[in-house]
């Protein structure tokens, strides 16, 4: 099935932190000279990551499709191509595709010397389906 074939240059994400199928291509890998990481993530329809936080800002720039973004205590927001989300440090949130659209974003992590991500519990179907 085309659905489960990795896009050119992409590999699988860490499945234990995702619901559904998603793909990752690292564009910039942080090292001792570069305190920034940039990855492109593509989610199949309905796929999303677990709830999580970042030690420093994560900036999302939507590259394709229609996606969902939610911070704890707030409703799900739809995000579209060109939208930018500046996720502040320690804000509990998740991101992923909407039910009927493939979705992609760049994920830019800054101050990576502080760490990159702290994974939490999966987004339940009830939470995912709460979009109004
Ligand atoms: Mn995030």
């Amino acid at each position: 099935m085309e659905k489960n074939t990795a896009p050119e240059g992409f590999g699988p994400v860490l499945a234990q932190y995702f619901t559904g199928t998603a793909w990752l291509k690292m564009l910039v890998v942080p090292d001792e000279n570069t305190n920034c990481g940039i990855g492109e993530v593509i989610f199949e329809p309905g796929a999303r990551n677990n709830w999580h936080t970042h030690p420093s800002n994560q900036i999302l720039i939507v590259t394709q499709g229609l996606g969902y973004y939610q911070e704890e205590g707030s409703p799900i927001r739809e995000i579209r191509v060109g939208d930018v989300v500046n996720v502040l440090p320690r804000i509990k949130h998740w991101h992923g595709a909407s039910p009927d659209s493939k979705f992609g974003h760049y994920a830019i992590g800054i101050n990576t010397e502080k760490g990159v991500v702290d994974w939490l519990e999966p987004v339940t179907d009830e939470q995912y389906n709460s979009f109004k």
Side-chain angles (χ1 to χ4, degrees):
M1 290 284 288
E2 184 185 351
K3 183 172 185 285
N4 288 317
T5 301
E8 183 68 30
F10 285 73
V13 295
L14 293 172
Q16 67 266 42
Y17 303 125
F18 286 73
T19 298
T21 301
W23 310 101
L24 172 66
K25 178 166 65 173
M26 284 307 295
L27 305 175
V28 174
V29 177
D31 62 24
E32 66 276 16
N33 297 306
T34 310
N35 63 347
C36 174
I38 305 178
E40 183 171 3
V41 186
I42 294 176
F43 300 81
E44 300 292 343
R48 67 270 190 179
N49 50 29
N50 283 14
W51 290 99
H52 61 282
T53 65
H54 304 282
S56 191
N57 301 56
Q58 182 188 51
I59 300 162
L60 304 175
I61 302 176
V62 180
T63 55
Q64 64 173 282
L66 175 63
Y68 282 173
Y69 172 78
Q70 185 176 29
E71 295 183 353
E72 187 175 47
S74 297
I76 293 172
R77 290 167 45 192
E78 284 186 327
I79 51 176
R80 295 175 167 75
V81 178
D83 284 346
V84 178
V85 181
N86 183 13
V87 185
L88 298 179
R90 297 291 165 203
I91 295 292
K92 185 175 174 180
H93 70 286
W94 62 271
H95 25 115
S98 56
D100 301 315
S101 174
K102 201 165 183 166
F103 171 68
H105 62 53
Y106 294 128
I108 303 171
I110 64 168
N111 305 321
T112 47
E113 74 281 3
K114 295 179 179 176
V116 175
V117 58
D118 295 302
W119 291 111
L120 301 166
E121 70 279 9
V123 174
T124 66
D125 287 343
E126 184 181 7
Q127 290 169 330
Y128 181 77
N129 292 321
S130 70
F131 178 75
K132 293 185 181 70

